[in-house]
Amino acid sequence: MSDKMFATREVVAAATAIYREQGYIKKNSFTASPEVKPNSAVLFKHYSDNVPLEITAQDRTFADEVIAYLSGLSFKAMERGLTDFETNILKFVTSDQASIKEVGIAASLPQVYDNKLKQDAWEQRERELSETSDYVGELKKRSEFEVVVENTRYIGRTGSYLYCASVDNQHILKFFSQDKPEDAGTKLCLSGFVKSHEVSKYHGGKETMINRVKIHSVDS
């Protein structure tokens, strides 16, 4: 079994089928149902013990999209260094076959792809907002804001989520929170201490960063 190789496209299609059924559950995640296993465990069982999976034509089409998109990381490598995780992904998706020891990396790829699409959409939206964005709130003072959540991203080094929001559909406001992220489009009424007014080195527009945030109401 250890020497057997599997077609990479089919492995990603199998990972997609699992993702379609249960979303993404990483290793050591707590679930209310003991029957629900981490995606990597389900994928490994499929290949090591021939546990059946229903893989549809749509799963294979999605797998092709995942592979094509993530293969584009090679272009990113020309612009900046890749992380170890990105390097492993690139090596996997540009190989025709994978060993049983390598199939586990495919488990997260459908979610990685979805997250990167969302990030691409946010970066485009952020560029649009940067054209109109001005500072909001009074610097070093506590202010109230009505915002729309545009994007949330987990930041490992802080153990929290970076919220990127818009004010009046034209100004960029950001803050960190350890609370479960709200969906894009959710309206929040909140207050916070205006920590900084700065021009972003990424998009060149003005943005406001707040902390000590208190959310007063949520309207999804």
Side-chain angles (χ1 to χ4, degrees), residues 180-197:
K180 179 182 176 182
E182 299 290 348
D183 294 332
T186 300
K187 297 177 182 179
L188 303 176
C189 180
L190 53 82
S191 58
F193 181 81
V194 181
K195 180 181 178 182
S196 66
H197 285 156

Side-chain angles (χ1 to χ4, degrees), residues 13-192:
T16 296
I18 299 166
Y19 183 65
R20 169 173 51 79
E21 285 295 320
Q22 65 178 44
Y24 181 65
I25 301 172
K26 61 184 180 180
K27 291 181 180 178
N28 302 322
S29 291
F30 172 80
T31 61
S33 173
E35 289 77 25
V36 179
K37 304 296 183 183
N39 292 48
S40 57
V42 178
L43 186 62
F44 185 81
K45 279 288 187 180
H46 172 64
Y47 283 102
S48 64
D49 299 340
N50 294 316
V51 175
L53 281 175
E54 182 183 356
I55 304 174
T56 67
Q58 288 78 12
D59 292 330
R60 292 186 171 89
T61 298
F62 190 82
D64 289 339
E65 294 174 5
V66 170
I67 291 171
Y69 181 91
L70 295 178
S71 294
L73 287 173
S74 59
F75 294 101
K76 291 286 187 182
M78 298 177 187
E79 303 169 3
R80 60 168 175 81
L82 298 180
T83 65
D84 290 343
F85 181 60
E86 288 174 329
T87 299
N88 289 336
I89 287 176
L90 182 59
K91 180 180 178 181
F92 181 85
V93 298
T94 54
S95 300
D96 292 330
Q97 294 186 313
S99 69
I100 188 65
K101 294 180 180 179
E102 297 171 316
V103 298
I105 195 173
S108 66
L109 297 191
Q111 187 193 50
V112 169
Y113 172 65
D114 273 348
N115 286 344
K116 285 189 175 292
L117 287 186
K118 291 175 183 176
Q119 191 62 29
D120 287 349
W122 160 238
E123 288 174 0
Q124 175 61 36
R125 170 65 172 157
E126 189 174 41
R127 284 193 292 270
E128 293 172 358
L129 287 170
S130 71
E131 298 294 326
T132 59
S133 186
D134 202 349
Y135 302 131
V136 293
E138 186 177 352
L139 188 61
K140 306 304 180 183
K141 298 286 186 180
R142 192 166 186 84
S143 301
E144 292 188 355
F145 306 93
E146 291 184 0
V147 308
V148 174
V149 176
E150 298 281 352
N151 180 262
T152 56
R153 182 162 56 96
Y154 184 73
I155 308 298
R157 61 182 172 80
T158 64
S160 58
Y161 295 94
L162 173 62
Y163 273 71
C164 303
S166 60
V167 178
D168 297 332
N169 200 34
Q170 57 183 334
H171 310 302
I172 300 171
L173 181 142
K174 297 182 178 181
F175 62 91
F176 287 94
S177 175
Q178 293 185 328
D179 294 337
K180 179 182 176 182
E182 299 290 348
D183 294 332
T186 300
K187 297 177 182 179
L188 303 176
C189 180
L190 53 82
S191 58

